[in-house]
Amino acid sequence: MPALPLAFLPPDCTESVMALQTRFRSSLPVPGRTGRPRPWALTALALAAAQAALAAEPDTGEPAASATERITVTGRAEPAAAGVTGFGDLPLSRSPFQVAGIGNGAIADRGLTGLSGLTRVDASVADAYNSPGYWSNLTVRGFVLDSAYNYRRDGLPISAQTVIALENKERIEVLKGTSGAQAGTSAPGGLANLVVKRPRGVDRSTVFLGWTEQASWKIVADVERRVGDGDALAWRLNAAYESLDPLLEHADGERHLVALAGQARLGTGRLLEAEVELSHQSQRSMAAFSLLGDRLPSARSVNPRLNLNNQPWAKPVVNDGTTASLRWAESLGADWQLVAQAMGQRLDMDDRMAFPYGCSAEERWDRYCSDGTVDFYDYRSDGERRDTLAGSVALEGRVQWAGMAHTLSLGALHSDFHQHDNTQIYQWAGVGTVDGRTVIEAPTPEPYLNAGRRERSTELHLRDHVALSADTGLWLGLRHTRLDRGYDQSFTTPFVALSQQWHPALMLYGSWGQGVESEVVPDLAAKYTNHGEVLPALRSRQAELGLKWREHDWAVGLAAFDIRRPATEDVGCEADGANCTRRTDGDWRHRGVEADGEWRLGAFGVQGSVMWLRARREGASDDGANGLQPTNVPSRSARLLATWQVGALPGLQAQAGVSYESEREVLPDNSITLPAWTRLDASLRYAQRLGGREAIWRAGVDNLTDRRAWRESPFQFDHAYLYPLEPRTFRISFQVGL
């Protein structure tokens, strides 16, 4: 364990925390001896942290707060406003958008460690090739979010082709549906936005200590300070270290994060904000299972802890990231402000795996062999580097025109993405077995150069919320995008919505919008007759009707949507796969209904969501393709979180979570289907005062019943993969304010 950075802790806490580190080191397994850190050791560690907090408590002469003083913490299924919509700080309960959101407190309560945790929060969000140890991939409304184009960080575009740390994120927002008014190019499922923690004008320090079965542990510090008098200058530091040793075999590793955010109020109405984030993770990823010939193996017969990426020559995936941003906001009177932002992101990655793929013995490349053997490849893509630069400027404000109030945003955004050349290896290594016991000799490396790419985008936007009356709103959005990706392409994407406040608590709305994607036929002359051709912009369209009802103790949301996305297909291929023509061929049409709600009655609370989705292929030239369901997309899903404030022990809250997903298709021809599954989670949260300090204890069990099922079935790289539900996992943590 590296030394915990102590420089940012209060001086009178340092000695106690150093002792805390020593106690925890003594609980770790001795090298050469089997075992895992004992759970009681973390409890001792947490108690030591509490002692540090008590030691740091200044003697004010005032009596300490009662240890039984109740701390009430409330949560909402969504934030009051979401920047991902692009319509400022207008509350979501009165906006024509469906947004899934989760704050940092709920992230800690539910033990979420990455973006893939959103699949436990909202029924519209599902897995899309979520391999433990790798970056997260999400499906929203049945469409996979593009890691290169569907992610934002404080509103600016980033690449999500990395492991994203959550310790310095205030919340995560997911706009559901097409996002042409918010993004230049993006897949139609939704748009994810990461909101960074920034100074709040207080002097506060928090330490978090956590342990997760089998032997993973982490320590996190969140420190805020004001500089000088008042809150003109302030900074916030988030630092984390985690030793990774999960129940998944051969997946040990480590990660760390250091993030610093600062702000300066330079006179009335002027705010300068800056932040920088450094992150690192090194860990082997999980190799998926697959079909065995024409057979879907039973999930009960597969050990969910087994990692087929266990060859002696297998190496970890290494992710390093550096992100920095500046934001300037200046008030231009009572109703207008100018906001300018700039951000740079650099991602370095070594992507490596002992990669099981296909069955050469049976000449079937989309699955493993019927006898349980599988071809293994040595895959290495070392020195991957992705650089993103983005800058935006926007003028936002309110004005009265034609007797109506307008809330306007007019702005421009320019982004530059560069994926550099790097060295790759992809070599057949030998034949292994799905029980993970076969050792394969490492092949002689034969590296080759992987060419990079450069993309630039310039976007202009205009958004206007028009108050037609006190209860009726018109929402207008327009974005013009010009792309330079080795070819030039321009397009304009509109959005329009009408909302009606029928009752102080009830809003109805209807909306229509577009989203655009851009595609180039692979430059493979041996396969494509139109190799290198730029296809016409793939324009998705969405219509949505919804209602939102929000009272004091309960809220309900309902939305029906219809999304059409152009489908691209290789047509006219010969038996040997040559002379194909890539072109648009019909649509993917996703129609569905979403419902979400929250309700509280005294000590009890419930929040949850459900989605029914009918996703089908339509209008394809091959009649056999029409009516097929996309792979890895459940038609029904549900999420539920129930809470109970235990009256006998004030501050104690019990939580129970349920996740359900229906059957999903494994192969594009829909010939094999995964069974539905339901997962149960349970946790306890106890908030108390220790010597006048806020303290929170958490304990949880994920997959309480140890349910065995196939969690998802992504069809990637022309291959069917199967990922199991994670096994039952225990976790405990302690958080204290210093």
Side-chain angles (χ1 to χ4, degrees):
M1 171 184 175
L4 171 69
L6 302 174
F8 52 80
L9 294 178
D12 45 2
C13 294
T14 302
E15 183 176 349
S16 296
V17 175
M18 291 177 66
L20 175 154
Q21 293 185 108
T22 302
R23 291 191 200 183
F24 189 68
R25 285 194 183 99
S26 67
S27 75
L28 297 176
V30 177
R33 186 183 304 170
T34 59
R36 64 185 67 173
R38 295 171 286 278
W40 59 261
L42 187 73
T43 304
L45 179 63
L47 290 172
Q51 293 170 3
L54 293 170
E57 178 71 10
D59 184 6
T60 61
E62 298 294 331
S66 170
T68 60
E69 179 181 344
R70 181 170 183 169
I71 302 174
T72 302
V73 180
T74 59
R76 297 170 64 106
E78 59 183 15
V84 70
T85 68
F87 281 85
D89 57 357
L90 295 169
L92 280 175
S93 60
R94 294 176 178 264
S95 302
F97 303 100
Q98 294 295 321
V99 176
I102 185 168
N104 63 84
I107 289 173
D109 287 347
R110 305 190 71 169
L112 307 185
T113 58
L115 291 182
S116 61
L118 288 170
T119 62
R120 293 165 54 188
V121 175
D122 190 90
S124 297
V125 184
D127 292 292
Y129 197 84
N130 271 326
S131 171
Y134 206 62
W135 70 58
S136 297
N137 293 280
L138 303 175
T139 295
V140 182
R141 291 185 172 178
F143 292 107
V144 178
L145 301 192
D146 193 312
S147 297
Y149 306 115
N150 281 74
Y151 291 84
R152 297 292 185 269
R153 191 174 189 272
D154 284 336
L156 292 179
I158 61 169
S159 170
Q161 295 170 306
T162 188
V163 177
I164 295 177
L166 301 184
E167 285 83 5
N168 69 320
K169 307 303 185 297
E170 189 67 39
R171 65 182 184 274
I172 309 170
E173 308 165 340
V174 178
L175 171 68
K176 294 184 277 188
T178 55
S179 53
Q182 293 81 15
T185 59
S186 59
L191 194 69
N193 184 45
L194 307 168
V195 181
V196 174
K197 289 182 180 178
R198 297 184 183 273
R200 295 169 294 183
V202 297
D203 292 335
R204 181 179 300 172
S205 301
T206 302
V207 172
F208 174 97
L209 307 165
W211 172 88
T212 303
E213 194 180 12
Q214 150 172 315
S216 296
W217 60 270
K218 72 175 177 179
I219 182 166
V220 183
D222 183 352
V223 182
E224 295 184 72
R225 291 291 184 270
R226 293 170 292 177
V227 180
D229 297 330
D231 59 356
L233 298 174
W235 56 267
R236 187 172 186 178
L237 176 69
N238 284 269
Y241 176 83
E242 183 169 14
S243 175
L244 301 167
D245 189 3
L247 288 173
L248 178 65
E249 298 169 352
H250 305 286
D252 57 309
E254 67 171 8
R255 71 178 189 91
H256 55 73
L257 166 78
V258 177
L260 179 65
Q263 68 177 28
R265 300 186 181 277
L266 306 176
T268 304
R270 294 178 177 176
L271 177 64
L272 176 65
E273 296 177 299
E275 56 92 17
V276 62
E277 172 187 323
L278 306 174
S279 64
H280 167 83
Q281 176 167 315
S282 176
Q283 183 184 22
R284 284 197 207 181
S285 61
M286 179 183 184
F289 299 92
S290 187
L291 302 174
L292 299 181
D294 294 324
R295 178 171 61 90
L296 174 68
S298 169
R300 293 183 178 273
S301 67
V302 174
N303 178 6
R305 304 184 183 190
L306 176 62
N307 188 358
L308 296 178
N309 183 21
N310 62 355
Q311 294 298 323
W313 40 271
K315 294 184 177 182
V317 176
V318 180
N319 285 277
D320 289 291
T322 303
T323 306
S325 70
L326 283 171
R327 181 165 63 189
W328 171 261
E330 180 168 0
S331 174
L332 304 177
D335 297 321
W336 289 87
Q337 71 168 348
L338 179 69
V339 179
Q341 301 181 82
M343 185 201 65
Q345 179 195 43
R346 173 172 173 170
L347 303 178
D348 294 284
M349 182 180 187
D350 294 329
D351 190 356
R352 289 93 65 101
M353 177 183 278
F355 192 51
Y357 182 92
C359 174
S360 59
E362 299 174 2
E363 295 187 351
R364 306 181 78 174
W365 308 109
D366 62 349
R367 64 198 74 191
Y368 299 163
C369 298
S370 54
D371 64 356
T373 59
V374 56
D375 290 21
F376 270 81
Y377 293 80
D378 181 5
Y379 173 71
R380 303 183 214 175
S381 183
D382 290 333
E384 291 186 9
R385 178 178 167 186
R386 298 176 178 90
D387 294 331
T388 302
L389 296 174
S392 70
V393 60
L395 185 64
E396 303 169 347
R398 296 177 174 84
V399 68
Q400 288 286 134
W401 285 341
M404 294 178 289
H406 296 254
T407 302
L408 290 166
S409 175
L410 174 66
L413 182 151
H414 180 78
S415 62
D416 188 325
F417 173 79
H418 188 190
Q419 180 172 315
H420 298 260
D421 298 346
N422 73 296
T423 300
Q424 289 190 348
I425 296 171
Y426 187 65
Q427 291 177 246
W428 186 81
V431 177
T433 51
V434 295
D435 60 8
R437 297 177 181 177
T438 303
V439 177
I440 301 172
E441 185 177 347
T444 302
E446 297 179 4
Y448 59 89
L449 183 66
N450 179 47
R453 72 180 194 273
R454 189 76 177 262
E455 302 179 1
R456 295 182 178 88
S457 173
T458 301
E459 306 166 26
L460 304 175
H461 80 259
L462 173 63
R463 292 188 287 267
D464 186 8
H465 170 229
V466 187
L468 300 178
S469 69
D471 298 320
T472 306
L474 177 64
W475 309 70
L476 302 171
L478 197 66
R479 180 176 291 264
H480 178 75
T481 303
R482 181 178 179 84
L483 299 178
D484 178 3
R485 295 180 176 173
Y487 60 89
D488 293 331
Q489 197 170 46
S490 299
F491 41 81
T492 301
T493 46
F495 171 83
V496 60
L498 186 67
S499 63
Q500 178 67 39
Q501 201 73 34
W502 286 93
H503 180 275
L506 174 63
M507 186 198 77
L508 304 178
Y509 73 88
S511 67
W512 179 87
Q514 294 184 352
V516 169
E517 297 167 273
S518 183
E519 184 174 336
V520 178
V521 179
D523 195 14
L524 301 173
K527 180 174 182 178
Y528 292 103
T529 60
N530 60 338
H531 60 93
E533 178 183 333
V534 180
L535 297 180
L538 307 178
R539 192 177 294 268
S540 301
R541 295 169 173 84
Q542 174 184 277
E544 181 173 303
L545 296 173
L547 66 84
K548 298 181 180 182
W549 188 301
R550 181 169 292 272
E551 292 282 5
H552 295 293
D553 296 322
W554 62 279
V556 173
L558 182 67
F561 58 87
D562 187 342
I563 305 174
R564 287 184 179 270
R565 178 196 201 180
T568 57
E569 192 77 33
D570 293 346
V571 299
C573 300
E574 297 179 353
D576 61 356
N579 290 323
C580 299
T581 301
R582 172 72 62 88
R583 63 180 177 85
T584 57
D585 186 33
D587 299 306
W588 285 107
R589 187 177 185 186
H590 292 204
R591 289 175 289 177
V593 176
E594 299 168 332
D596 64 82
E598 54 182 311
W599 170 73
R600 182 168 296 280
L601 179 62
F604 296 93
V606 176
Q607 66 182 49
S609 60
V610 296
M611 183 181 69
W612 172 85
L613 177 67
R614 189 181 190 278
R616 296 292 188 272
R617 181 76 177 274
E618 295 182 353
S621 57
D622 178 5
D623 288 338
N626 291 318
L628 292 178
Q629 185 173 332
T631 58
N632 202 32
V633 175
S635 58
R636 300 176 307 281
S637 55
R639 307 287 186 265
L640 178 69
L641 178 67
T643 61
W644 173 42
Q645 302 286 350
V646 182
L649 183 57
L652 178 63
Q653 182 186 80
Q655 301 180 346
V658 180
S659 296
Y660 165 79
E661 292 190 2
S662 68
E663 300 83 359
R664 61 181 79 198
E665 300 300 329
V666 179
L667 297 173
D669 64 5
N670 291 185
S671 58
I672 297 180
T673 304
L674 285 192
W677 56 265
T678 301
R679 163 179 159 162
L680 303 177
D681 304 318
S683 63
L684 293 173
R685 180 185 194 278
Y686 180 52
Q688 63 174 161
R689 306 287 294 189
L690 289 175
R693 306 287 188 178
E694 293 184 5
I696 301 175
W697 305 79
R698 297 179 176 96
V701 186
D702 299 328
N703 194 2
L704 178 66
T705 62
D706 203 21
R707 174 67 188 273
R708 299 295 176 89
W710 294 118
R711 169 171 53 87
E712 64 160 329
S713 56
F715 193 84
Q716 299 279 347
F717 320 117
D718 295 321
H719 196 282
Y721 291 103
L722 301 172
Y723 281 105
L725 282 175
E726 294 83 355
R728 178 169 52 218
T729 305
F730 293 90
R731 53 182 169 84
I732 56 176
S733 67
F734 175 72
Q735 175 181 317
V736 63
L738 300 178

